[in-house]
PDB file of all heavy atoms in Angstrom:
ATOM      1  N   TYR A  50      99.650  42.532  58.032  1.00  0.00           N
ATOM      2  CA  TYR A  50      99.358  42.107  59.397  1.00  0.00           C
ATOM      3  C   TYR A  50     100.616  41.915  60.237  1.00  0.00           C
ATOM      4  O   TYR A  50     100.524  41.573  61.418  1.00  0.00           O
ATOM      5  CB  TYR A  50      98.512  40.825  59.409  1.00  0.00           C
ATOM      6  CG  TYR A  50      99.132  39.629  58.741  1.00  0.00           C
ATOM      7  CD1 TYR A  50      99.924  38.744  59.459  1.00  0.00           C
ATOM      8  CD2 TYR A  50      98.918  39.376  57.390  1.00  0.00           C
ATOM      9  CE1 TYR A  50     100.493  37.652  58.846  1.00  0.00           C
ATOM     10  CE2 TYR A  50      99.475  38.287  56.773  1.00  0.00           C
ATOM     11  CZ  TYR A  50     100.271  37.410  57.502  1.00  0.00           C
ATOM     12  OH  TYR A  50     100.829  36.328  56.883  1.00  0.00           O
ATOM     13  N   GLY A  73      99.716  50.649  53.334  1.00  0.00           N
ATOM     14  CA  GLY A  73      99.343  49.264  53.064  1.00  0.00           C
ATOM     15  C   GLY A  73      98.946  49.084  51.620  1.00  0.00           C
ATOM     16  O   GLY A  73      99.232  49.925  50.759  1.00  0.00           O
ATOM     17  N   CYS A 116      92.507  45.205  40.953  1.00  0.00           N
ATOM     18  CA  CYS A 116      91.417  44.227  41.034  1.00  0.00           C
ATOM     19  C   CYS A 116      91.188  43.770  42.472  1.00  0.00           C
ATOM     20  O   CYS A 116      90.058  43.500  42.872  1.00  0.00           O
ATOM     21  CB  CYS A 116      91.709  43.027  40.141  1.00  0.00           C
ATOM     22  SG  CYS A 116      91.635  43.428  38.374  1.00  0.00           S
ATOM     23  N   ASP A 169      78.934  38.621  45.309  1.00  0.00           N
ATOM     24  CA  ASP A 169      80.041  37.709  44.997  1.00  0.00           C
ATOM     25  C   ASP A 169      80.628  37.920  43.609  1.00  0.00           C
ATOM     26  O   ASP A 169      81.289  37.028  43.072  1.00  0.00           O
ATOM     27  CB  ASP A 169      79.610  36.244  45.166  1.00  0.00           C
ATOM     28  CG  ASP A 169      79.130  35.944  46.582  1.00  0.00           C
ATOM     29  OD1 ASP A 169      79.644  36.589  47.513  1.00  0.00           O
ATOM     30  OD2 ASP A 169      78.257  35.090  46.745  1.00  0.00           O
ATOM     31  N   PRO A 189      80.608  42.974  26.763  1.00  0.00           N
ATOM     32  CA  PRO A 189      80.861  41.945  27.777  1.00  0.00           C
ATOM     33  C   PRO A 189      82.043  41.096  27.336  1.00  0.00           C
ATOM     34  O   PRO A 189      82.160  40.761  26.150  1.00  0.00           O
ATOM     35  CB  PRO A 189      79.563  41.138  27.802  1.00  0.00           C
ATOM     36  CG  PRO A 189      78.902  41.407  26.498  1.00  0.00           C
ATOM     37  CD  PRO A 189      79.343  42.754  26.046  1.00  0.00           C
TER      38      PRO A 189
END
Side-chain angles (χ1 to χ4, degrees):
Y50 60 90
C116 291
D169 301 329

